[in-house]
Amino acid sequence: MALPSYATRGERIWYYTFRVICGLIFFFLIAPIIIMVPLSFNAQPYFTFSREMLTFNPDGYSLRWYEDLFTSQSWLRSIQNSFIIGIASTLLATTLGTLAALGLSRPHMPYRGLIMGILISPMIVPLIISAAGMFFFFSSVGLAQTFPGVILAHTALGTPFVVITVTATLVGFDHSLTRAASNLGASPTYAFFKITMPLILPGVISGALFAFITSFDEIVIVLFVAGVEQRTIPREMWSGIREQISPTILAVATILVALSIALLTTIELLRRRSERIRGMTAQ
Amino acid sequence: MLKTADGVTEAGHVCFDNVQKSYDGETLVVKNLNLDIARGEFLTMLGPSGSGKTTCLMMLAGFESATFGEIRLDGQRIDNVAPHKRGIGMVFQNYALFPHMTVAENLAFPLRVRKMGQADVEKRVQRALDMVELSEFGSRMPAQLSGGQQQRVAVARALVFEPQLVLMDEPLGALDKNLREQMQYEIKHIHEQLGVTVVYVTHDQTEALTMSNRIAVFNDGKVQQLASPPDLYERPENAFVAAFIGENNKLMGKVEAIDGDTCKVVLDNGDKVTALKVNVDAVGDRTTLSLRPERVVIAPEGSADLDNVFEAEVRELIYLGDHIRTRVKVCGNDEFIVKVPNSSHSPDLARGAKVRIGWITQDCRALDA
Ligand SMILES: Nc1ncnc2c1ncn2[C@@H]1O[C@H](COP(=O)(O)OP(=O)(O)OP(=O)(O)O)[C@@H](O)[C@H]1O
Ligand SMILES: [Mg+2]
């Protein structure tokens, strides 16, 4: 969007102002995240830049908080818990969400809007309300402070993402393909795994990644539903900030940021691949 | 039921018996369909949009169920057989090639479903590719093929597992005219080569006329006429078929007298015409006379052999090379078309000229009003 040669003075001014505003917004969003990365290599137990760091003196930097992280029993346990809960709830959410999306995309599905609304409500209802509700409900059925409890709660949070991404993939899905498969002799199950699944796979995977990230950085529900045994990374960071003020959490945060970037890149690559497969972009 | 030579009835390959279909439980989209399709026949369902052709095909393939009546394949009811167990090949209107598989994998799909050995699969896929002249294209993705090539892959895929019956739903609808004609020829050729039964859906009458053994003309959920292409064109049985197939001149009137297989009709403007009695029952019935433009003769000189001769006025001349399409006003109808061959015998006509035109009784069919 280059500035046309006939632009008036006002337009020129706006053109540059607009760019500056965009830059500021971008900076505002990204700075807190970026700032953590160098701080996590701080040699001092503070959350500020030391003089050595600012003068790029190697003595100002160290990996001690990373070391701390990987030798601390409670951090390691929380990392393990986060992965157990994240992976289990992702598997559940992906399976349920994909099935729901497939059902909702059938041409003659009754009450489609209503069911869709209910399924994605965990995304819309304030988290604290879901969390409080789950706390009371899970306590009365004996799921509070158990792994299945936290996993189920995170499944409910992750499912909407899967439903939405898979439904979006199915919008462009040509249902005559499953008819063709069936006509060629494939049973419904065979047709699903050979035709439908490969074609909606990008949607399923990106939904799964969103579900995983959601579970991975979720804290509110964990505070309510999880016990000491189920402490996850965010829960550990939370007590880290409040109780022991150590830059270890900056090391954790840096790792999480790297992980998120990796996951988002995967999602984007998958999206492009799916467009290519469906012949939507010229190769 | 088809009659064999010795008079015994024998079930055809495909049989629609009193089939009705309603999607909403109120309106019938297919009303009482009776159709017997012989083994190896090329039968076309031809009709305007919304006449129920696709619905019939879907019922045969098993993607819709008949509301009433039964469909039989080789004498066996198929209503209760799941689509994937029917063994019917189908070419979809949009081809429905699997976009994530190469052409060869697409063709291998029905064979692998049937658990055929790898060597056999490869042999058959290659043979199918050769058949549609795409031998070199096995490793391409469908998106890398032209429309015509995709269409041929779709045909090959519908045939590769050697079904006895193949359904094609407007398979050439998306192709341009030249390619369509070439593909019509190729499909026809493959049909003759393999001897499979083909049920073909189109709303292009030229396509129907050139390809089919028989054509079922659909309108309003009913088969209006089921006949061979020449019969359909030359001997339409009702006004809809006469108007739908080819060009047709219509004259409206009332039956005045019936004499064996001919009848006398008084047209609305008072002129009297003798016509072949086809679809009228009694004296006094309203009737539509149908007359092909190429069967009308202009300025007959010794007009003794023409049963009907009238004075006409030339309204419009359109030069089409091999013939001149001439619109005249005759018997009160000014949309009457005559095809005048472009030969040295033909008269020179000018707009506004008065000419005599005529036709024989056999070419003028008295149909329902
Ligand atoms: N799934 C459906 N639900 C409800 N009505 C339908 C459905 N499919 C078709 N119809 C209706 O049934 C009638 C016949 O449709 P059909 O698709 O068989 O027509 P067609 O002869 O194939 O037309 P075309 O030449 O346009 O393809 C139409 O009036 C259509 O609106
Ligand atoms: Mg149709």
Side-chain angles (χ1 to χ4, degrees):
Chain A
M1 200 186 70
L3 199 61
S5 51
Y6 51 78
T8 62
R9 188 187 190 84
E11 278 170 340
R12 270 165 211 282
I13 293 173
W14 170 240
Y15 177 81
Y16 293 108
T17 323
F18 181 69
R19 302 209 150 203
V20 171
I21 294 175
C22 288
L24 286 175
I25 293 174
F26 194 64
F27 178 79
F28 177 76
L29 290 175
I30 212 89
I33 299 171
I34 296 293
I35 218 86
M36 285 183 330
V37 179
L39 277 181
S40 72
F41 295 99
N42 198 343
Q44 307 297 320
Y46 304 123
F47 286 82
T48 50
F49 287 98
S50 61
R51 182 166 312 131
E52 289 89 346
M53 289 186 94
L54 292 173
T55 54
F56 295 104
N57 182 343
D59 291 344
Y61 295 90
S62 86
L63 287 173
R64 62 181 279 202
W65 306 117
Y66 288 87
E67 227 180 287
D68 214 43
L69 170 64
F70 289 109
T71 49
S72 141
Q73 211 49 49
S74 58
W75 275 112
L76 284 180
R77 167 111 72 80
S78 71
I79 291 173
Q80 192 190 1
N81 284 347
S82 268
F83 276 99
I84 290 173
I85 292 167
I87 289 171
S89 65
T90 300
L91 285 178
L92 272 175
T94 308
T95 314
L96 297 177
T98 304
L99 291 176
L102 282 169
L104 287 170
S105 300
R106 291 165 72 118
H108 301 297
M109 178 72 201
Y111 307 113
R112 188 197 316 256
L114 181 68
I115 296 173
M116 187 83 172
I118 292 173
L119 283 178
I120 63 175
S121 62
M123 219 167 132
I124 293 157
V125 174
L127 204 49
I128 188 82
I129 293 176
S130 304
M134 283 175 189
F135 173 69
F136 289 118
F137 178 61
F138 283 10
S139 304
S140 64
V141 295
L143 279 171
Q145 319 208 340
T146 64
F147 274 102
V150 183
I151 290 170
L152 284 180
H154 280 185
T155 302
L157 284 192
T159 306
F161 291 99
V162 183
V163 172
I164 286 170
T165 55
V166 177
T167 306
T169 325
L170 281 169
V171 167
F173 187 78
D174 178 2
H175 286 278
S176 67
L177 292 179
T178 39
R179 287 190 161 187
S182 154
N183 179 258
L184 293 169
S187 65
T189 328
Y190 189 88
F192 175 76
F193 283 108
K194 291 286 176 179
I195 307 297
T196 314
M197 198 58 190
L199 289 173
I200 63 169
L201 195 60
V204 174
I205 293 181
S206 41
L209 291 179
F210 277 120
F212 183 76
I213 293 177
T214 306
S215 160
F216 208 69
D217 73 11
E218 206 287 320
I219 172 99
V220 181
I221 284 183
V222 171
L223 282 174
F224 277 77
V225 175
V228 190
E229 292 294 306
Q230 294 88 36
R231 281 198 167 191
T232 59
I233 299 174
R235 177 68 180 78
E236 196 65 33
M237 288 171 87
W238 197 69
S239 40
I241 289 192
R242 286 169 42 113
E243 292 152 22
Q244 59 193 71
I245 314 211
S246 129
T248 314
I249 67 162
L250 292 179
V252 179
T254 305
I255 291 174
L256 290 187
V257 167
L259 196 71
S260 305
I261 290 174
L263 289 182
L264 287 172
T265 313
T266 316
I267 292 175
E268 178 60 17
L269 290 178
L270 281 170
R271 197 186 58 76
R272 291 194 191 170
R273 195 181 94 97
S274 107
E275 284 189 355
R276 204 171 56 241
I277 285 183
R278 293 200 269 152
M280 294 198 298
T281 49
Q283 288 121 353
Chain B
M1 299 286 143
L2 302 177
K3 290 257 193 268
T4 53
D6 53 1
V8 184
T9 54
E10 176 203 48
H13 190 184
V14 180
C15 174
F16 284 89
D17 192 356
N18 269 321
V19 172
Q20 300 183 352
K21 173 70 184 176
S22 168
Y23 284 104
D24 54 7
E26 282 172 25
T27 47
L28 286 176
V29 170
V30 174
K31 300 168 184 161
N32 223 358
L33 178 71
N34 287 293
L35 202 57
D36 258 299
I37 304 170
R39 190 169 287 284
E41 183 170 15
F42 195 117
L43 182 122
T44 299
M45 295 178 172
L46 174 68
S49 193
S51 56
K53 309 178 296 288
T54 300
T55 305
C56 289
L57 226 50
M58 289 300 161
M59 288 192 287
L60 198 47
F63 302 124
E64 293 290 350
S65 55
T67 312
F68 184 81
E70 58 185 67
I71 303 173
R72 287 187 295 266
L73 195 63
D74 286 322
Q76 304 288 320
R77 284 188 66 148
I78 56 168
D79 316 36
N80 302 325
V81 183
H84 67 278
K85 294 194 177 134
R86 294 192 182 190
I88 298 175
M90 178 151 186
V91 180
F92 289 78
Q93 186 161 7
N94 60 357
Y95 314 146
L97 298 178
F98 305 132
H100 58 300
M101 298 184 184
T102 64
V103 168
E105 285 164 355
N106 263 280
L107 296 191
F109 186 86
L111 305 177
R112 295 205 200 285
V113 173
R114 289 171 172 74
K115 306 208 162 45
M116 192 176 280
Q118 179 62 23
D120 255 358
V121 169
E122 277 170 25
K123 207 169 66 198
R124 290 238 210 159
V125 166
Q126 198 50 50
R127 207 175 340 134
L129 283 173
D130 293 344
M131 179 180 73
V132 293
E133 292 166 18
L134 289 174
S135 320
E136 309 299 314
F137 292 79
S139 56
R140 295 249 196 125
M141 299 304 275
Q144 298 170 314
L145 298 180
S146 74
Q149 290 165 339
Q150 291 184 16
Q151 204 279 333
R152 280 185 277 175
V153 175
V155 171
R157 192 180 62 178
L159 291 166
V160 70
F161 60 103
E162 297 181 356
Q164 298 286 301
L165 172 63
V166 180
L167 315 178
M168 304 193 185
D169 191 357
E170 302 194 29
L172 308 183
L175 305 184
D176 71 41
K177 190 163 167 293
N178 282 340
L179 196 53
R180 196 153 68 212
E181 281 168 8
Q182 186 194 336
M183 288 304 306
Q184 286 170 6
Y185 174 79
E186 284 181 24
I187 291 177
K188 189 68 196 144
H189 189 76
I190 290 171
H191 166 248
E192 278 161 8
Q193 214 179 336
L194 302 182
V196 292
T197 310
V198 177
V199 181
Y200 192 94
V201 164
T202 181
H203 54 228
D204 179 342
Q205 48 158 308
T206 327
E207 197 165 294
L209 290 174
T210 52
M211 298 178 81
S212 326
N213 296 125
R214 284 193 302 165
I215 300 173
V217 181
F218 273 66
N219 188 36
D220 195 21
K222 278 196 289 242
V223 176
Q224 301 288 330
Q225 187 170 356
L226 173 64
S228 68
D231 267 355
L232 206 59
Y233 186 80
E234 282 162 38
R235 285 179 283 283
E237 272 165 13
N238 60 43
F240 176 81
V241 176
F244 193 70
I245 310 280
E247 210 173 0
N248 180 57
N249 287 313
K250 270 199 300 195
L251 295 171
M252 312 296 288
K254 196 189 237 176
V255 180
E256 190 188 53
I258 294 180
D259 174 19
D261 62 354
T262 63
C263 59
K264 279 227 175 316
V265 174
V266 188
L267 300 181
D268 293 347
N269 74 333
D271 284 336
K272 287 186 181 164
V273 181
T274 40
L276 204 60
K277 169 180 170 289
V278 180
N279 197 355
V280 288
D281 297 326
V283 171
D285 282 0
R286 294 282 305 162
T287 178
T288 307
L289 299 183
S290 148
L291 194 58
R292 297 290 180 201
E294 66 272 20
R295 295 299 176 100
V296 180
V297 196
I298 250 180
E301 279 161 28
S303 40
D305 56 336
L306 294 174
D307 312 303
N308 302 285
V309 176
F310 294 97
E311 180 88 355
E313 187 192 326
V314 177
R315 285 290 169 89
E316 197 176 2
L317 294 158
I318 299 171
Y319 182 78
L320 288 170
D322 62 333
H323 74 269
I324 295 150
R325 216 177 114 89
T326 311
R327 184 163 68 84
V328 301
K329 175 171 180 170
V330 69
C331 303
N333 177 356
D334 67 354
E335 296 287 336
F336 198 96
I337 305 294
V338 184
K339 284 185 182 168
V340 184
N342 189 1
S343 80
S344 50
H345 307 298
S346 298
D348 267 339
L349 296 174
R351 181 183 292 204
K354 294 252 192 281
V355 287
R356 287 161 65 75
I357 63 169
W359 57 85
I360 62 171
T361 304
Q362 296 302 314
D363 288 334
C364 180
R365 301 170 66 80
L367 307 172
D368 56 321

